[in-house]
Amino acid sequence: MKLLLVLPILIPLTTAAFCLLFWRHRAIQRLLGTLGSTAHLVAALLLLWFVRQDGIFAIQVGNWPAPFGITLVADLFSAIMTVLAALMGLTVVVYSLASMDSGRESSGYYAFFHFLLMGVSGVFLTGDLFNLYVWFEVMLMSSFVLLALGGERHQLEGAIKYVTLNLISSALFLTALGILYGMLGTLNMADLSRQISDGMHAGVISTLSMLFLVAFGIKSALFPLFFWLPASYHTPPVAVSAIFAGLLTKVGVYTLIRVFSLLFAQDIAYTHTIILVIAGLTMVTGVLGAMAQNEFRRILSFHIISQVGYMVLGLGLFTPLALAGSIFYIMHHIIVKTNLFLVSGVARRLQGSYQLNQLGGLYQAAPALTIIFMISAFSLAGIPPLSGFWAKLILVKASLDITAYLIAATALGVGLLTLFSMAKIWAAAFWGDPPQTTAAGVGQVHLPLKASEKIALYLPMVVLGLLTLTIGFMSAPFFELATHAADQLLDPAAYIHAVLGRVK
Amino acid sequence: MEILAAIVVGGLFGCGIYLLMSRSPVRLIIGLVLLSNAINLLIFTAAGLIRGKVPLIPPDSLRAVEVTADPLPQALILTAIVISFGVLAFALVLFSRTFKTTSATTLDEMKATDT
């Protein structure tokens, strides 16, 4: 059973290694990519199942006892995130089969995709701060390559901003953990949590926590550190955009929640108030930025920022209900946002553009696509009874419970503005008149989709759409899962016990 | 010794950040190099500089008898050096490829994807 903890990391690694071995055989790589992602999802689901049954469990890599070796830990939150990562990996790989061009496929797309999944799973499962940094770098390195793969001009320009800002973020993270090690002499998160809760060096620890906030804030695109995101996410092929949009910023949010619940929870009045204010500003600036855009993927990119604000909002409130709301929001958001990007890819495939003024009439041309978009977009905006409604409801309820009226009002207002942007896409791309193909520069011939392509493109979207509906109509089990995960986060004792065993 | 190291770390951080803020891609890269070196030195210094005390445990004892140098920061730095080497190599190739594609000499000319 303990082996399960390693599998979500080993399976993508093996898949990627085999993809590299079959460098010249595109068909084999496509098959391997799909099989590997399926196995990854199965392993992640099993992991979630066992964690749900038996509680938190940990293994010490190489059998070095806890604070000295590297620890892998899975609590409910990390297991949920691993499942989501694996699910997005599988759906996007299937989608890539029909949407990725052969040039990128033969330049190692599937290998780097699985290295990315390995890095993401590693971040979720590690229990050691330095190991977390290493997994971050694995993830970043593969994302750099995926972003720049193909070498088109706008891709390279986007990649420069993405690479530079992420390097600065990693540098800050490394600085912070270096100082933390100098002070406390350990990097094991459970051990750190134990030592920090003793209340020594409270002032310096709070200062350090701000360094962590900036480092992870860049990665999760918080206000005012988000500018790299809308400058780069719309540049690569849509499958890459989709996996980035679904997973990467949420990895930042995951680390924020992990670090600010396990380690830096000793001065909540100071640190978590700052987080709350930042969350509010992130929501507002993201949604306002989206209103000014007229390109499908740029609008969606700005919405990632505003949605990250909601997830961090729950962390800022730091009540059991609010944290459960954050986790629920992450589950809902990853599924919906990935799906919206996939929809934008099919829209472009059908009409040759991401620009809203060159799209139109998709309602008539692709009714199924329209329904999928409608489910996801309205869920993103929080229309009942879709998943986004429950996610927002929990967070608003949590803020009203502790009389944080301003932040509750902000959350509701931002939801309304989200609806406005979604309605804009709806009106222009789906409802509006079909584009004039005689317009200058848009003279491409758009081949109708082949049946096999149609399956590969629509199957992932349908699955994700159904999941959104499931979370919406049967939200109770998902909410219960989120509540359990939040309870575990708020009570680090069980985590510490699982890692360090008998100590105290 | 710590004070000297701290001043060097501060100086490297200052130079690195100053270079990061300039328009030239080459200076940006050099800034990143300085920054990553500054951090390696910082980890080294923060964990305590102890000279001439090898972290060896005598054969008849279970733990070290006196305060010894901590080997772990050096392992951390070694890992960080390898990672930053790989990442910086990638960044260099990316910048040179971007220069060949866009022939832009300053970062101000790369605004096409900004919003």
Side-chain angles (χ1 to χ4, degrees), chain A residues 384-423:
Chain A
L386 295 161
S387 60
F389 168 72
W390 301 109
K392 287 198 172 71
L393 181 74
I394 301 167
L395 284 173
V396 170
K397 167 91 167 49
S399 22
L400 291 179
D401 278 352
I402 56 167
T403 64
Y405 296 119
L406 187 62
I407 200 80
T410 315
L412 289 173
V414 170
L416 208 60
L417 293 176
T418 311
L419 186 61
F420 169 81
S421 299
M422 290 302 125

Side-chain angles (χ1 to χ4, degrees), chain A residues 65-129:
Chain A
F68 306 110
I70 289 170
T71 313
L72 294 180
V73 203
D75 65 352
L76 260 183
F77 186 33
S78 19
I80 292 172
M81 296 303 287
T82 317
V83 169
L84 286 169
L87 182 67
M88 292 311 116
L90 180 58
T91 45
V92 174
V93 158
V94 173
Y95 188 88
S96 309
L97 294 178
S99 73
M100 195 53 62
D101 51 295
S102 57
R104 285 191 175 88
E105 277 189 332
S106 16
S107 325
Y109 168 73
Y110 291 105
F112 285 109
F113 189 89
H114 282 89
F115 279 131
L116 180 78
L117 287 182
M118 173 176 85
V120 172
S121 309
V123 169
F124 293 152
L125 293 175
T126 184
D128 183 280
L129 219 46

Side-chain angles (χ1 to χ4, degrees), chain A residues 157 161 167 171 181 231 234 298, chain B residues 39 70 87 90 110 112-114:
Chain A
E157 287 190 10
K161 289 148 202 165
L167 286 186
Y181 179 79
H234 62 93
R298 288 193 192 209
Chain B
I39 293 162
D70 187 353
V87 171
F90 177 84
M110 301 180 193
T113 66
D114 284 358

Side-chain angles (χ1 to χ4, degrees), chain A residues 473-494:
Chain A
F473 283 106
M474 299 190 346
S475 54
F478 295 94
F479 179 61
E480 200 202 316
L481 201 62
T483 316
H484 277 286
D487 288 344
Q488 285 185 352
L489 285 178
L490 282 170
D491 178 26

